[in-house]
Amino acid sequence: MEAQDESEREESGLGTVINVRKFFQSWDSEVTALSQPIPERKNNNVYIAGQMGIPTDLAEELSNVCSMDTLKCGDEPADKDDLLKMKGLPKDLDLTCVKYQERDLERRKMVDYKLFVINKMKYRVLDVVQVPQSLNEIAPDKNVPHPNVVLTVKVHRQRTKAAILPKGEVFLVLGTQPLTDLKDNIVCVKDDAVAGDFSDFPHVSNEGLTPAKHTYKSGMLFIENTFYNDMREADNRDYSEPILKWAKENDHESYPEFRKAKMEDTLFLDLNIQLGVPYLYQHQGNCEHVIIFTDLRLLHCDDPQDVTMYPFQLSETVTRRIICRSCMMDSAKWVVHDSQLTPESPCFMCHTCFTLLHYDQNGQKICNFQAYKYRQKTGPLNLCA
Ligand SMILES: [Zn+2]
Ligand SMILES: [Zn+2]
């Protein structure tokens, strides 16, 4: 049974460490070789019949039946660019599905259409529609370097004590991009927070306060026993240092050999990865996110061809608005820690409830607590919790 499991794992690629650059080189040369004209393939059907071990007339019949031409109907444009120019629905079709489509296109003109759809939706993850681009629309210096490799990576929200992995966003990244490109596109509420206890200054406006991501820029990825530290700024911290020190002091034969590298000097091509295996992204001290590579393939013509669009976000997760624990209506603006007046710690509160509960008429604190400003990113994808 175990041997069978092992062979199944090997067949599915699970447990196999893949070097992205080697994968790219081997598949790119394979695809290049296949795209070369081969003399025997002058008559394609004879070649296919030979490869499949079937008679030539059967190959010809299959070729006709499976031809791309059978997928077209009427005067449908053959070219992708012409297809993009098609606007409106055919007027002479009396189909229910066309009527529904017409009604939906009308609704899309609504200002808050996105919110309307999300409220109706059962699921809280939206796939981002990939708009096909014509190569003419892209500046020549912005074209994606070809050939290239594309990795699909899922970045989960910050880790909590819950046993279930939190939701997350999915990105497409290019092999030729540095790891820092992905790091800079990860959105986390800890990055937008303002560091420090503001319980003595409850009326300080948010304007002019620096978000934590502009003050604390350190970050680390841990992939296949290698720590990749963001050291772009001179005062960035090496998060791997205490871990490596601890591993050295508590040396154990089961520990693998840990390595470390700079995030900004490492391309995705330089990585060794396993598909489906959870890796770590850590920032803002102890904010941990699980990241998982779910796919690795060559770049193709249906991928975005503008290099500035990468990392390309493939899905967006609906964020629930955190509401005040007291009035249960307004958005939370404060996180209160260690207060004897709140039912829990930390406790999320709106500004009015927070000040009414914790300060007297002279604006003085009436008990000991710490209060941190809470700034949740708001937008059309945020819902009431
Ligand atoms: Zn985070
Ligand atoms: Zn409130």
Side-chain angles (χ1 to χ4, degrees), residues 192-223:
D192 293 320
V194 179
D197 176 11
F198 278 81
S199 59
D200 290 325
F201 318 99
H203 298 293
V204 171
S205 153
N206 272 349
E207 277 183 34
L209 295 176
T210 316
K213 66 180 167 192
H214 294 151
T215 315
Y216 308 106
K217 299 178 179 175
S218 311
M220 178 188 80
L221 284 161
F222 181 60
I223 300 167

Side-chain angles (χ1 to χ4, degrees), residues 72-78 83 86:
K72 291 176 191 154
C73 56
D75 51 357
E76 187 185 317
L83 203 61
M86 263 183 82

Side-chain angles (χ1 to χ4, degrees), residues 158 187-191 281 283-284 287-289:
Q158 65 200 87
V187 176
C188 176
V189 71
K190 291 266 177 79
D191 276 333
Y281 165 59
H283 69 131
Q284 296 300 335
C287 185
E288 296 180 342
H289 299 248

Side-chain angles (χ1 to χ4, degrees), residues 357-368:
L357 187 66
H358 288 96
Y359 297 86
D360 61 20
Q361 64 266 46
N362 301 317
Q364 297 300 311
K365 283 166 78 170
I366 56 171
C367 60
N368 283 327

Side-chain angles (χ1 to χ4, degrees), residues 30 94 145 153 155 162 207 230-231 234 263 274 323 327 357 371 380:
E30 197 131 329
D94 185 27
V153 52
V155 181
E207 277 183 34
D230 182 352
M231 301 305 284
M263 204 190 274
Q274 289 186 61
I323 57 168
C327 63
L357 187 66

Side-chain angles (χ1 to χ4, degrees), residues 324-330 349-354:
C324 172
R325 190 75 168 84
S326 177
C327 63
M328 302 296 276
M329 277 173 64
D330 292 338
M349 301 189 86
C350 71
H351 185 72
T352 311
C353 296
F354 167 68

